[in-house]
Amino acid sequence: MKDFKGKIAFITGGASGAGLGQAKLFAKAGMRVAIADVRRDALHKAVGEIVDFAGCKVTDVLPLCFDLTDRKAYEAAADSAEAIFGGPPHLLIQTAGVNSFGPIEASTFDDFDWVMGVCLDHVVNGLIIFVPRMIKAYGGKDGVPKEEFHVATTSSMGAFMGGAGTGPYSAAKSAVNNLMYSYAMALPVYGGGATVLCPANINSNIGNAEKFRPEHLRNTGYHVSEGTMAHLSSIHAGGIDPVELAEYLKEGIENGRIIVMPFGPPEEWMKMLRGNNETIEDYILTAAERNKKMEERMAAMQRNGPPPGAWSVPEGAEPFGGARKDLDYIDPSRNPKW
């Protein structure tokens, strides 16, 4: 996606931090922007900041206050944005996120439900709600869209490694990465694309996220206080500027990048990523007997073909992995054939 002027964007977490930076940058690029957040006062303030930064009209920015984990509320917000702007977003960016730190073994159900609900479930909600609408409105055939469209999600460097003190967050972000890889494989046939943004530290207010944890999910196993939030906030204050981060994302979208990783110094991050991958590499290299058996099996299949019945189709069977037959916006190439 390269042409943003006059198009529609829908950005979650758009009232502050990375989401606000994205809203500012894409509004300046000429987009009408819907920003979704659970904090009404922050949304009102964000509209003014976006208008001042982008030089756009107030009517080009639509604030939507709702809980992103509430699917009915999300769908109603999507309907409102579509009615006001005249169509679904050409660009969906899901950036809202929360975090809380504590020993993984101290985690409660509420810790997982809150962090994974915002960081993963809200992403699923937006994709399920918006992608069919985007395909119907803008999708084309053979990779040529009627209009350009794209989905993006703000993930984290935490997606690439576990953390004994960040279990729910790391698990959610790892799932988000794989989810976006899947959409990146599926959407090009319609002329769309997908990008996942994996930053390190961002200058945002995520350090205060515990203040907005819902009452019914406050049974945490972690030590949380004004002091812990102050410490986190001081760390995030040194992170990348949200508009600068948005520039990395915009460049990635323009160039069809599936993954964008703005961080540095690269040597330190490569060292961390390699350390994480060594667990897998060590298994592959040391499982000699298992590898030998697999090699023998593959060689036998090359000599003799697959075992009898390996690829036979049972009577009454149908190809699996296809879409429901009444979903007429699904490209036929996305359904399997025998």
Side-chain angles (χ1 to χ4, degrees):
M1 183 174 182
K2 295 182 182 294
D3 185 12
F4 301 99
K5 190 173 179 60
K7 303 290 178 62
I8 303 164
F10 191 106
I11 302 172
T12 69
S16 66
L20 178 56
Q22 292 157 0
K24 288 178 177 179
L25 186 71
F26 285 102
K28 191 169 185 177
M31 301 192 83
R32 289 171 291 165
V33 179
I35 53 171
D37 209 290
V38 75
R39 301 159 297 162
R40 192 173 300 278
D41 290 346
L43 277 167
H44 179 74
K45 182 174 181 288
V47 171
E49 290 189 34
I50 294 166
V51 170
D52 289 345
F53 181 90
C56 62
K57 297 180 293 185
V58 173
T59 52
D60 289 332
V61 185
L62 175 63
L64 296 164
C65 186
F66 66 99
D67 181 349
L68 291 157
T69 66
D70 182 334
R71 289 174 178 166
K72 289 185 178 179
Y74 203 149
E75 194 151 16
D79 291 342
S80 295
E82 189 166 345
I84 291 169
F85 284 156
H90 300 81
L91 176 61
L92 170 65
I93 309 176
Q94 300 199 94
T95 292
V98 297
N99 199 357
S100 192
F101 294 88
I104 182 67
E105 66 273 22
S107 303
T108 64
F109 285 124
D110 283 5
D111 290 324
F112 271 92
D113 287 348
W114 179 52
V115 174
M116 297 195 77
V118 177
C119 293
L120 174 59
D121 293 349
H122 114 262
V123 175
V124 173
N125 292 347
L127 291 168
I128 296 298
I129 290 168
F130 276 123
V131 167
R133 300 182 189 208
M134 295 165 81
I135 292 174
K136 289 176 184 178
Y138 310 126
K141 295 181 179 179
D142 301 320
V144 181
K146 288 179 281 187
E147 293 187 61
E148 293 180 305
F149 69 99
H150 204 93
V151 297
T153 298
T154 301
S155 181
S156 168
M157 282 299 294
F160 299 103
M161 57 202 79
T166 61
Y169 184 82
S170 294
K173 294 302 186 179
S174 178
V176 162
N177 276 29
N178 278 275
L179 184 63
M180 296 306 291
Y181 300 156
S182 297
Y183 275 90
M185 295 178 199
L187 292 182
V189 71
Y190 305 100
T195 297
V196 61
L197 174 67
C198 297
N201 192 18
I202 307 169
N203 186 355
S204 72
N205 67 353
I206 195 173
N208 293 321
E210 280 282 359
K211 292 182 179 180
F212 305 98
R213 187 194 281 234
E215 288 295 330
H216 68 286
L217 295 176
R218 287 192 175 273
N219 178 32
T220 179
Y222 311 146
H223 171 62
V224 176
S225 68
E226 289 290 338
T228 62
M229 287 185 278
H231 188 188
L232 283 169
S233 295
S234 70
I235 293 171
H236 290 301
I240 188 172
D241 176 77
V243 173
E244 182 183 352
L245 179 62
E247 289 170 349
Y248 279 99
L249 176 60
K250 183 172 178 286
E251 185 274 336
I253 293 170
E254 289 171 331
N255 290 284
R257 304 192 198 286
I258 297 173
I259 188 166
V260 175
M261 296 190 291
F263 53 80
E267 296 80 9
E268 290 300 313
W269 285 108
M270 286 301 295
K271 183 178 178 181
M272 292 176 67
L273 292 174
R274 285 195 185 105
N276 189 56
N277 290 334
E278 280 176 4
T279 302
I280 300 170
E281 293 172 5
D282 287 348
Y283 174 83
I284 293 171
L285 294 173
T286 57
E289 286 301 314
R290 187 176 290 105
N291 291 343
K292 184 178 179 181
K293 289 179 181 178
M294 182 60 70
E295 289 170 3
E296 290 172 352
R297 184 180 177 208
M298 295 302 293
M301 289 181 65
Q302 289 177 353
R303 290 193 306 270
N304 308 319
W311 310 115
S312 63
V313 180
E315 185 177 349
E318 292 185 275
F320 64 88
R324 208 174 64 212
K325 293 180 180 179
D326 64 313
L327 299 182
D328 57 4
Y329 63 90
I330 300 295
D331 188 285
S333 69
R334 298 287 296 129
N335 289 319
K337 297 180 179 67
W338 280 343

